[in-house]
Amino acid sequence: MLIPVIQRTGTKPSIDLSVDLAGIRLANPVMTASGTSGYGPEHGKLMDLSRLGAFVTKAISPEPRKGNPPERVVETAAGMLNAIGLANIGLEQFIQEKAPYLEKLGIPIIVNVVGRDADDFIKVCARLESIECIAAFELNVSCPNVSGGLDFGADPKRLHGLVSAVRKRVQRAKLIVKLSPNVTDIAVTAAAAVEAGADALSVINTLCGMVINVETWKPMLANRTGGVSGPAIRPVALYMVHRVYTKVARDAHVPIIGMGGISNWRDAVEFLLAGATAVAVGTALFVDPRTPIQICEGLTEYLTRRGLSSVRDLIGQLR
Amino acid sequence: MQVTADTCAIFHTATVVANQALCREHYRLTLRVESFAPSLPGQFVHLCPITPPPGAYPSEPVGDGPVGNDRLSNASRPLLRRAFSIAGLRNAPSGVHLDVMYRVVGSATRWMESLAEGDSLSCMGPLGNSFPIQERRPLAWLVAGGVGLPPMLWLADALHRSGKNVVAFCGARSAELLALTLDPNQPPDHSARRATPSALEFARHQVPVVISTDDGSLGFSGHVGLALAAYVEANRTATDDVVLYTCGPERMMDSVAAFCRARKIECHVCMERAMACGTGMCQSCVVPVRDEADSAGWRYRLCCTDGPIFEAQRVIWKPIGAI
């Protein structure tokens, strides 16, 4: 009788995808980008969300918002333009209907927060901080599609004031500031956010853009202008991660979540090399909601091929 | 938390069986998938090229040059999926055959036009809700304007199977833009007073049609809403017995909905919106609907997951300003 020979050579070295994001342990560096996964259940029907490094919610404001009229989205070359207008169910309905679902996922939850003034931001953060699974708040100071959204993000003084005010009222959860690319030098707003006490930076939100219908002479979006996302903005986003990392974040030991057109593991590796500790997937989820899992699998293969044992060996290693 | 077999079943690699020109700018794409979850007329599929395309990247690095990072192969491909109503569905020996119909209007539909038998693409579906079929109403009127035709073809099939007496009203701007196969021995009635077995796609389900063209080049001269009115005027059907289903340009559906409101005809509309995800995640494809429970009396519903079929009298047709 033949005894089967066990192929020892087939054993894979274990690859560690975990990262530390300002004290939050992520099992892998891949998360969702705010506003691209609904509140969780919508995406959870299509992918096992517990396999994410973290889940980032749609923006939550104190009161419900209906958002912009349609059309809200149009495809552009290698990207898309959107103006959803921060449509959301509001703080109380989020707590009642969505938080219990997110608690069951067993992964860190990051709530994206939006408001007209500092009091709005504080109201949402203070009310949600007692929910244990919420590891961090991502302050949305950079939405280009609502009045008041971009104002905070483009002015370093106002940004500093907002982040400091929220910082004083948030004890346990970490504060992430989502930076706008619609500025002359993103390092200036990054420095303001860090000085005011941001624990991490999301780089970048969408770029302001528009598309015009040449037959009707009207904008394609009802909101007239929108935010551009997708592969078209990836080189811009990558540059901005590089700039924030080298000018501000590296020395301040503040981690960056890189985002902007990331669609596959190669894109993720580029952002990690440029200085991001984690990456967020947005527009690519609309094409394939399972993209985060594919990125994790691709990262594992890549690290194996490169003889590396941890994804942390990539962070900021740009030559 | 596990993703159930149910949910995984919406992701398909589809193979092109046929891609047939129907009339100017209009095509019928027949796809084969290995299996397809139980589905009903009104539901849609969401199509895009397979990403990355086979062979786009070498599996091993190619030196330090630009080759290993070449992404130009993606440049001319549409990024987002495109939603298409299912126009027909059949079990086939090697899986399920799905029909979708499209008009070439932009980059994504030009990509679809280029597809040939044997090509692969990515297909998500079935998505969305379906047309309700009402037990107690024996008559069904289908009103299709332009590219609103596809869901009506599958609906005609389903209604006929459930024993309904069906009439289809099909409008196009011009005869050359009507994506139907006409029977030369059964010319459509110019007065729209009588439905005739003129279109083979409907006649095979024993459904007669009233055809209208805006320029009068075929059938009734005028838009399909006027053809419907002329038919109703001539036939004096008991409207309690009727359910009307419509799909087409929004202005046309608005006028059909108003026609039904005035005559107390039950009416269901199939809405179209620019969509990014098709699954409720992006919140792009909103339709304003009346909702007494809302403090403003209305709310946005999603065309992709709450629709695309809505009760016509709940839809708010006039544009709403930002709230």
Side-chain angles (χ1 to χ4, degrees):
Chain A
M1 198 176 98
L2 289 171
I3 297 165
V5 178
I6 295 164
Q7 293 279 338
R8 290 270 173 211
T9 51
T11 319
K12 278 186 184 171
S14 69
I15 299 290
D16 183 7
L17 289 187
S18 71
V19 294
D20 179 308
L21 185 82
I24 307 166
R25 188 188 175 278
L26 309 183
N28 66 67
V30 186
M31 51 179 74
T32 55
S34 175
T36 60
S37 295
Y39 301 101
E42 300 89 346
H43 193 184
K45 287 178 192 159
L46 308 166
M47 171 195 146
D48 180 357
L49 296 186
S50 69
R51 292 180 67 181
L52 289 167
F55 180 83
V56 184
T57 68
K58 268 190 79 58
I60 305 295
S61 55
E63 306 299 330
R65 296 179 63 114
K66 282 189 160 69
N68 293 326
E71 298 288 349
R72 289 181 169 186
V73 64
V74 61
E75 182 163 332
T76 58
M80 63 179 262
L81 180 74
N82 88 81
I84 308 297
L86 300 174
N88 82 95
I89 56 177
L91 177 60
E92 292 308 320
Q93 210 178 333
F94 173 78
I95 293 168
Q96 296 298 318
E97 295 176 12
K98 308 297 179 182
Y101 175 90
L102 295 171
E103 276 181 308
K104 284 188 201 130
L105 294 178
I107 55 169
I109 303 300
I110 297 170
V111 174
N112 186 283
V113 182
V114 73
R116 284 157 304 189
D117 51 31
D119 287 348
D120 274 1
F121 282 91
I122 289 167
K123 192 186 273 182
V124 176
C125 294
R127 183 91 169 80
L128 291 177
E129 210 187 359
S130 59
I131 299 174
E132 203 185 332
C133 68
I134 297 174
F137 297 110
E138 182 181 54
L139 305 185
N140 189 345
V141 294
S142 46
C143 179
N145 298 330
V146 293
S147 73
L150 198 54
D151 310 353
F152 286 115
D155 179 344
K157 280 194 189 114
R158 288 193 65 189
L159 180 63
H160 190 282
L162 175 76
V163 177
S164 315
V166 179
R167 176 77 281 171
K168 286 188 194 102
R169 301 291 296 274
V170 174
Q171 270 97 46
R172 177 189 58 81
K174 303 297 177 185
L175 277 192
I176 303 166
V177 175
K178 188 162 184 175
L179 296 177
S180 171
N182 304 301
V183 292
T184 309
D185 182 2
I186 196 167
V188 174
T189 41
V194 167
E195 201 192 292
D199 297 302
L201 300 170
S202 288
V203 183
I204 57 176
N205 208 320
T206 55
L207 283 130
C208 290
M210 72 187 297
V211 177
I212 296 172
N213 181 329
V214 297
E215 299 304 327
T216 62
W217 297 14
K218 289 178 183 172
M220 291 292 276
L221 298 185
N223 190 54
R224 303 184 75 81
T225 62
V228 186
S229 64
I233 72 164
R234 192 176 57 233
V236 179
L238 187 65
Y239 160 74
M240 291 198 174
V241 166
H242 172 67
R243 173 114 187 127
V244 170
Y245 182 70
T246 52
K247 296 290 170 195
V248 179
R250 181 172 52 197
D251 292 343
H253 301 288
V254 169
I256 295 169
I257 307 165
M259 63 195 74
I262 295 174
S263 311
N264 55 52
W265 65 266
R266 287 170 173 268
D267 302 340
V269 169
E270 284 191 70
F271 278 80
L272 295 167
L273 290 171
T277 296
V279 294
V281 183
T283 301
L285 295 177
F286 301 152
V287 184
D288 192 334
R290 304 163 300 178
T291 303
I293 292 177
Q294 291 154 4
I295 291 178
C296 286
E297 287 169 353
L299 284 175
T300 301
E301 273 178 42
Y302 174 73
L303 293 168
T304 306
R305 172 160 66 77
R306 300 288 305 207
L308 300 170
S309 60
S310 167
V311 75
R312 297 186 296 276
D313 297 339
L314 299 174
I315 299 169
Q317 295 305 307
L318 178 69
R319 290 172 184 160
Chain B
M1 193 195 66
Q2 286 297 306
V3 173
T4 63
D6 253 356
T7 58
C8 285
I10 71 163
F11 299 105
H12 307 279
T13 298
T15 309
V16 174
V17 176
N19 192 11
Q20 194 196 346
L22 300 172
C23 64
R24 202 185 92 202
E25 299 163 15
H26 290 66
Y27 293 79
R28 179 175 52 238
L29 180 65
T30 303
L31 301 173
R32 183 178 62 76
V33 292
E34 272 180 25
S35 62
F36 203 65
S39 49
L40 291 165
Q43 292 192 284
F44 65 94
V45 288
H46 219 192
L47 307 179
C48 73
I50 288 172
T51 338
Y57 308 127
S59 56
E60 290 295 317
V62 187
D64 294 330
V67 179
N69 279 319
D70 176 26
R71 275 126 175 191
L72 294 178
S73 51
N74 272 331
S76 61
R77 298 147 53 89
L79 174 71
L80 299 172
R81 292 173 182 272
R82 295 296 190 276
F84 295 92
S85 292
I86 301 169
L89 186 147
R90 300 169 297 283
N91 285 315
S94 53
V96 175
H97 283 187
L98 297 166
D99 292 331
V100 299
M101 287 162 65
Y102 62 95
R103 181 178 180 191
V104 178
V105 293
S107 61
T109 42
R110 261 195 298 277
W111 159 71
M112 289 171 71
E113 187 188 18
S114 76
L115 292 169
E117 189 185 342
D119 286 350
S120 295
L121 63 151
S122 172
C123 169
M124 268 171 75
L127 299 175
N129 68 356
S130 58
F131 290 109
I133 294 181
Q134 306 293 24
E135 285 294 323
R136 62 201 165 80
R137 303 201 201 265
L139 306 182
W141 291 344
L142 316 183
V143 181
V147 289
L149 178 65
M152 296 302 163
L153 292 172
W154 193 23
L155 180 61
D157 181 4
L159 288 168
H160 171 65
R161 283 168 200 262
S162 51
K164 304 293 182 190
N165 194 336
V166 188
V167 178
F169 301 81
C170 302
R173 277 197 283 133
S174 168
E176 58 178 1
L177 290 169
L178 185 74
L180 288 171
T181 314
L182 296 172
D183 181 344
N185 301 316
Q186 300 282 354
D189 178 22
H190 291 284
S191 71
R193 291 194 192 111
R194 196 169 53 88
T196 54
S198 304
L200 295 182
E201 289 82 355
F202 284 106
R204 72 167 64 107
H205 308 302
Q206 273 74 55
V207 173
V209 293
V210 172
I211 287 172
S212 72
T213 50
D214 295 354
D215 65 358
S217 52
L218 185 71
F220 180 85
S221 177
H223 67 77
V224 70
L226 295 174
L228 171 69
Y231 178 87
V232 171
E233 180 64 28
N235 290 278
R236 305 216 165 267
T237 315
T239 51
D240 268 1
D241 290 342
V242 181
V243 183
L244 191 146
Y245 306 90
T246 183
C247 184
E250 203 153 314
R251 266 192 305 180
M252 170 231 133
M253 290 198 288
D254 182 3
S255 76
V256 169
F259 179 87
C260 290
R261 188 159 55 245
R263 287 162 187 77
K264 296 192 165 51
I265 297 173
E266 180 179 334
C267 178
H268 301 276
V269 295
C270 181
M271 301 295 290
E272 182 173 26
R273 280 286 182 277
M275 280 177 194
C277 70
T279 54
M281 303 195 318
C282 74
Q283 309 264 316
S284 297
C285 58
V286 288
V287 176
V289 296
R290 290 182 177 80
D291 185 350
E292 292 74 21
D294 186 277
S295 56
W298 68 276
R299 58 183 287 213
Y300 281 129
R301 306 295 305 271
L302 297 179
C303 192
C304 63
T305 50
D306 300 320
I309 315 303
F310 293 90
E311 235 182 283
Q313 308 313 337
R314 300 202 76 81
V315 174
I316 298 169
W317 298 95
K318 290 194 185 92
I320 286 170
I323 304 297

